[in-house]
Amino acid sequence: MTGGPSPRQVRALARLAVACATWLVLLLPTLLAARNLGAPARPDELARLARAAGPDASGLETALARAYFARAGGQASLPDAAEARQAFVVRARLWQLATLLATTLALHAAVVLARGRLHALLACAAFALAPAVATDGHVLRPEGPATAMSAFACLLLVGVAAPARGTARRSRWLLPPQRLRWGLAGCAALAIGLTVALLPTPGAVLVVPGAVLVVAAAQMALRTARLVRRAGWLRLPVRAMNQRLLPWTCLSLGAPAASLAMLARSLRGPADAVAASVGDGDVVPAGAAGGVVVAVGGLGALVAIVQAGGALRRRGRSSGALVLFAAVAIACAARVQVAPERDGLSLAPAVAVLVAEGAYALVALGWRAVGARPRPVTSP
């Protein structure tokens, strides 16, 4: 007669269950978008593939976006037959699904570094349920690669702000923390430049390093004033202050420089002439579900402000949460200036982060309320 599973087997099964659940949530946006993979081709999809297959001087897409559509179409022209054309568009839409998967992975990694694993899973689930992903996620459009590259740039910016753990030691595969930070900053500048070169209109991530620099400089100015009153000017940690602000200063200058250099090689006309997509799917659902999402997202925004401000006040440095919420705030503020009929895919990750923050706060409050209930007293 054998006993039950050992504690080691239970832990192994628990890890396997967590891994399966995590990958299911990571694949959820792609799976929901793949439901409509065989939907009839839209006129804007056919027009993009046709312009990418032949010479085009309209300037409706940048050179980088045209290269993406040409690669999605296999460097071939559109067939004349209706069935063959539909099959051609379905094969090209697989590239759009790949960009959704890349966006989900980058979003998950950024939120894990900034907030934690549970926040990341909630953000990925909220991203999957957005109408721009669940309804229009299969549509081939330039917002797909631009959103993926923007999420990757945000991940690199969060990595720049993440504090180095442990002592700075050399190894065969890990660079010293300071060099790793500068390497991530350079890669983030290039990723921001690629985002703007793909679609110049929603380039809100370009402003994120400058916003982080302004917030960090303002907080450092307040701390400097207190230190001067207590110890005088000669006791100021000038070197430490420079080390904290210098990467963000270089990013604030390097990201626009990289964007201008890539736009100069990618644009074929004015940046305003680049056409953005007009989609049926919005950022939030319609009806009562949309009201719930807006309420939870508003709660998440309030919690994010309190959390990022408290962390900045306690630690005195730019944290990953501050960078993430700065990117979210700038993306939401940029949406106000964009026409409401524009595609909501570029804003969906930002809204997903706020919804995840609000949902986590509600779960924490509910758990605390349940735990605070008095236990029934049993008589001996």
Side-chain angles (χ1 to χ4, degrees):
M1 183 176 180
T2 59
S6 64
R8 185 176 180 179
Q9 292 175 337
V10 171
R11 289 193 297 268
L13 291 175
R15 292 194 195 98
L16 180 60
V18 170
C20 293
T22 301
W23 277 106
L24 179 62
V25 174
L26 290 177
L27 295 174
L28 186 60
T30 307
L31 294 176
L32 290 179
R35 296 178 307 162
N36 302 321
L37 190 62
R42 298 190 180 187
D44 53 349
E45 291 180 292
L46 297 175
R48 293 188 188 105
L49 291 173
R51 287 194 297 266
D56 177 60
S58 62
L60 295 178
E61 289 97 13
T62 62
L64 197 59
R66 287 192 69 229
Y68 167 76
F69 291 130
R71 195 65 181 171
Q75 305 289 342
S77 58
L78 282 173
D80 295 331
E83 294 182 359
R85 180 173 294 187
Q86 177 66 25
F88 183 85
V89 173
V90 169
R91 288 194 303 269
R93 284 173 175 173
L94 295 177
W95 284 72
Q96 181 69 22
L97 298 183
T99 60
L100 278 181
L101 180 59
T103 303
T104 308
L105 294 177
L107 175 65
H108 179 266
V111 180
V112 164
L113 287 177
R115 298 295 290 133
R117 294 183 180 180
L118 184 56
H119 286 84
L121 293 179
L122 291 174
C124 292
F127 177 69
L129 297 178
V133 177
T135 304
D136 286 352
H138 65 285
V139 179
L140 189 66
R141 55 200 192 273
E143 280 79 4
T147 304
M149 192 57 63
S150 176
F152 182 64
C154 185
L155 168 61
L156 293 173
L157 291 175
V158 171
V160 172
R165 303 194 178 198
T167 58
R169 59 181 183 274
R170 296 177 182 270
S171 65
R172 294 187 218 173
W173 59 275
L174 185 62
L175 293 173
Q178 200 63 22
R179 292 186 184 180
L180 182 62
R181 192 178 186 187
W182 282 105
L184 291 175
C187 294
L190 293 177
I192 292 173
L194 288 173
T195 303
V196 178
L198 279 166
L199 192 61
T201 307
V205 69
L206 182 63
V207 197
V208 174
V212 175
L213 175 63
V214 170
V215 174
Q219 194 271 346
M220 190 168 292
L222 295 176
R223 291 174 66 90
T224 301
R226 290 196 295 265
L227 286 174
V228 168
R229 286 197 302 265
R230 294 177 183 176
W233 290 96
L234 298 178
R235 304 297 295 271
L236 285 178
V238 179
R239 183 177 180 182
M241 295 165 63
N242 289 334
Q243 287 180 350
R244 291 182 181 181
L245 293 182
L246 190 57
W248 298 106
T249 305
C250 295
L251 266 173
S252 301
L253 301 175
S259 301
L260 288 176
M262 294 184 183
L263 280 176
R265 299 180 60 88
S266 185
L267 279 180
R268 304 191 174 194
D272 296 337
V274 178
S277 302
V278 178
D280 298 333
D282 203 352
V283 184
V284 297
V292 174
V293 171
V294 171
V296 175
L299 176 62
L302 180 61
V303 173
I305 293 173
V306 174
Q307 195 277 336
L312 184 64
R313 183 178 180 182
R314 291 190 305 269
R315 300 175 184 175
R317 65 178 63 190
S318 302
S319 61
L322 174 64
V323 176
L324 181 64
F325 295 140
V328 169
I330 292 172
C332 294
R335 179 68 177 182
V336 178
Q337 301 179 357
V338 180
E341 65 271 8
R342 290 281 180 87
D343 190 87
L345 181 60
S346 58
L347 186 62
V351 175
V353 171
L354 294 181
V355 172
E357 196 70 32
Y360 184 86
L362 291 177
V363 170
L365 289 176
W367 185 270
R368 184 172 297 182
V370 171
R373 290 181 181 178
R375 296 182 179 180
V377 179
T378 58
S379 57

